Amino acid sequence: MSKEHKDNENKGLLCNFTHEKAGMQGLDREKINKIIHDTSVNTEFFKREQEHIAIVEEKARSMKNRISESLSKGPDFIREINEEIYKIIQEIESERHLSETWIHVDMDMFYASVEIRDNPELADKPVAVGGNSMIATANYIARRYGIRSAMPGFIGKKLCEELVFVKPNFSKYREEGEKIREIFRDFDPDFESMGLDEGNLRVTEYLINNEMNHDEGRQELARIIRQRIKDKTQLPASAGIACNRSLAKIATDMGKPNGQYFIPFDKEQIIEIMSKMNVRKIPGVGKVLEKTLNELGVVTCKDILQKKYELYIAFQAGSFKFLASAALGVGSCYHHETREEQKSISLSRTFASTNNIEEINKYIAEFSREISEQLDEKNAQIKTVSVSLKTYKFEPKSKSETLGRYIYKELDIYEIAIKLYNELAIKEKIRHVGVRVANIIYRRTGAIDDIIEKVSKDPTPKQSSIKCFSQQCPVCNKVFMYTEKRMEIHLKQCLEEQSQKFQPKVVKKQKNAPQPTITLDCFYKKK
DNA sequence: TACATACAC
DNA sequence: GATGGTGTATGTA
């Protein structure tokens, strides 16, 4: 999906947050945009997006101000930054390597390809893998209607009445993905990957060992890899061949669908190819940076070089170097030293907006349990817990806490998570909630008690030990979620606070008894 | 450290 | 009527 995903984004939805892309010339953009707009307008999502765009535009405005201010400082200043830019470009050039070979392979409309392969009747129909709320991938027929991944299904349906929806079957995709990865390993055991259907392979050694370390051999190898994928899975793949990681990825996009593209290992030709490239094609340039650059008059990579003074002033050194490197086609071409361990684990869900505290509570409890299980499997512990949510207005909020100790038990995580959720003190309905843990260490010390506990416990039934309930505090009248322990703590604090105020507050009589205890066991068994 | 943003798939 | 889930990196206060 990599590229397709990036191609579509919210394109069309918000014409001013996007641009026309190659391969879409045949489409009736105006009609498509109108349908998308009419379907979206008046939604909270749309409002939120508009606000977001306004913020990005405002930032771009202040960048422009800074630029014109700086440029009016006079020739000495220009000479100064010219020198600095020159230094950076020299540095970038010193990082240019033309003798490593990278082949990036990406499956074409991966999920849709798998589904069509397994149900050939779909082959000549517009197909979307996903549901009413989100399309994960669309086949090329559907794309002719303007349907893209990351588009909500109901808009897809509006764009094409005959659109066929297929429910995603992730375990199947994982399986197919594993077959592909097995092939990748033959050519580069350390290949890099950002998803199920993609691999970035450094094949320099393979080429040398097989006496094919030349342009023809490089392209031949890409054909071989794609053919092996085809033989093994019956699925089409595209590939890009170039001298560094990022160029290879860009090349894949140029080869799609079901093709490959070779970027010559030659400085002048690389710069020539890149100069025409839209900045959005640069891996790492998303819709916000694209929009910002566009506002500054930068659309293609050539513009990056032409507006180097402006960009140097507007951006931080690191970002400037990133953009200049991309424009010059220079990128890193060795594998990252060590593949690091996972740094965080998170679970989240979107649902119909609600303020039902019990429902939210169930999610938090469930996430805590699942995260704890994952930590068990990894024999890991964590020090940071965060809770995030989105209000019904799509406003994200989050709160996190780093503890002075490591934890991993479901109840420990849950307690912190609930505490954080309560501290967020959200009054509106919410449409999304999530729990994340971070600061992971991959060992457990002094866990003897646990081991004993585990051994003595019957290993079969995996059920929650959390007993929790939502309840109104009789002192402060707030409705909170509690475990028994937390309730005790809160009550104590609450009473203290009240007594400090010296003003015995009139405690409203509760209308009804505390809400019934939610035993999570019920919840899990239901599922 | 805490939080928000941006990005990728 | 309605716009995802998981993970990483980075900027800013």
Side-chain angles (χ1 to χ4, degrees), chain A residues 68-90:
Chain A
S68 54
E69 239 174 68
S70 296
L71 289 181
S72 65
K73 278 183 187 168
D76 282 354
F77 178 77
I78 308 276
R79 213 172 298 125
E80 199 180 302
I81 64 170
N82 191 39
E83 226 164 81
E84 281 162 32
I85 290 169
Y86 180 72
K87 254 192 246 164
I88 292 170
I89 290 183
Q90 267 194 325

Side-chain angles (χ1 to χ4, degrees), chain A residues 460-500:
Chain A
T460 29
K462 195 73 163 164
Q463 50 179 228
S464 177
S465 59
I466 296 175
K467 294 257 194 298
C468 59
F469 44 91
S470 54
Q471 192 178 69
Q472 197 170 15
C473 169
V475 182
C476 68
N477 276 334
K478 279 185 192 157
V479 178
F480 279 150
M481 295 181 261
Y482 291 107
T483 59
E484 287 164 75
K485 194 172 133 205
R486 272 231 75 78
M487 186 66 193
E488 231 174 81
I489 295 167
H490 172 80
L491 253 180
K492 221 186 221 172
Q493 285 176 348
C494 209
L495 283 167
E496 254 168 50
E497 272 173 37
Q498 296 296 336
S499 63
Q500 273 170 12

Side-chain angles (χ1 to χ4, degrees), chain A residues 4 108-131 134-151 153 156-157 160-168 173:
Chain A
E4 294 101 36
D108 301 325
M109 50 170 194
F110 184 47
Y111 299 170
S113 289
V114 174
E115 296 303 337
I116 291 166
R117 177 199 67 185
D118 295 346
N119 183 4
E121 275 179 32
L122 297 173
D124 56 354
K125 300 188 175 94
V127 176
V129 179
M134 191 53 63
I135 292 171
T137 313
N139 70 352
Y140 281 84
I141 298 172
R143 287 180 203 190
R144 297 306 300 167
Y145 296 87
I147 295 163
R148 326 239 88 198
S149 52
M151 174 182 276
K157 198 80 186 170
C160 172
E161 190 56 39
E162 305 83 47
L163 182 62
V164 180
F165 285 92
V166 181
K167 248 183 86 183
Y173 311 143

Side-chain angles (χ1 to χ4, degrees), chain A residues 365-378:
Chain A
E366 186 187 354
F367 297 156
S368 303
R369 181 180 65 81
E370 286 189 19
I371 288 171
S372 177
E373 271 174 34
Q374 288 190 42
L375 290 171
D376 270 344
E377 277 164 32
K378 300 179 201 297

Side-chain angles (χ1 to χ4, degrees), chain A residues 353-478:
Chain A
S353 293
T354 181
N355 52 11
N356 181 336
I357 205 127
E358 287 182 16
E359 192 185 333
I360 296 162
N361 188 9
K362 275 182 195 167
Y363 280 118
I364 294 178
E366 186 187 354
F367 297 156
S368 303
R369 181 180 65 81
E370 286 189 19
I371 288 171
S372 177
E373 271 174 34
Q374 288 190 42
L375 290 171
D376 270 344
E377 277 164 32
K378 300 179 201 297
N379 207 34
Q381 310 185 79
I382 55 99
K383 212 164 56 164
T384 303
V385 179
S386 39
V387 167
S388 60
L389 58 83
K390 266 188 211 160
T391 68
Y392 73 103
K393 287 181 170 165
F394 288 85
E395 275 170 331
K397 302 246 188 263
S398 73
K399 195 150 183 17
S400 67
E401 185 172 327
T402 302
L403 310 164
R405 63 185 199 283
Y406 284 96
I407 59 171
Y408 56 89
K409 287 182 185 160
E410 125 182 64
L411 189 56
D412 290 340
I413 296 168
Y414 174 79
E415 293 234 330
I416 308 290
I418 286 297
K419 191 189 87 167
L420 292 169
Y421 181 86
N422 287 335
E423 283 169 7
L424 279 168
I426 301 293
K427 305 231 167 58
E428 308 152 279
K429 288 188 175 184
I430 66 168
R431 66 186 326 278
H432 179 100
V433 68
V435 176
R436 168 190 308 272
V437 298
N439 261 313
I440 308 180
I441 53 159
Y442 288 87
R443 76 195 130 85
R444 280 185 185 172
T445 50
I448 292 174
D449 288 351
D450 287 356
I451 295 163
I452 293 166
E453 195 183 322
K454 236 179 224 166
V455 170
S456 61
K457 236 204 292 188
D458 181 15
T460 29
K462 195 73 163 164
Q463 50 179 228
S464 177
S465 59
I466 296 175
K467 294 257 194 298
C468 59
F469 44 91
S470 54
Q471 192 178 69
Q472 197 170 15
C473 169
V475 182
C476 68
N477 276 334
K478 279 185 192 157

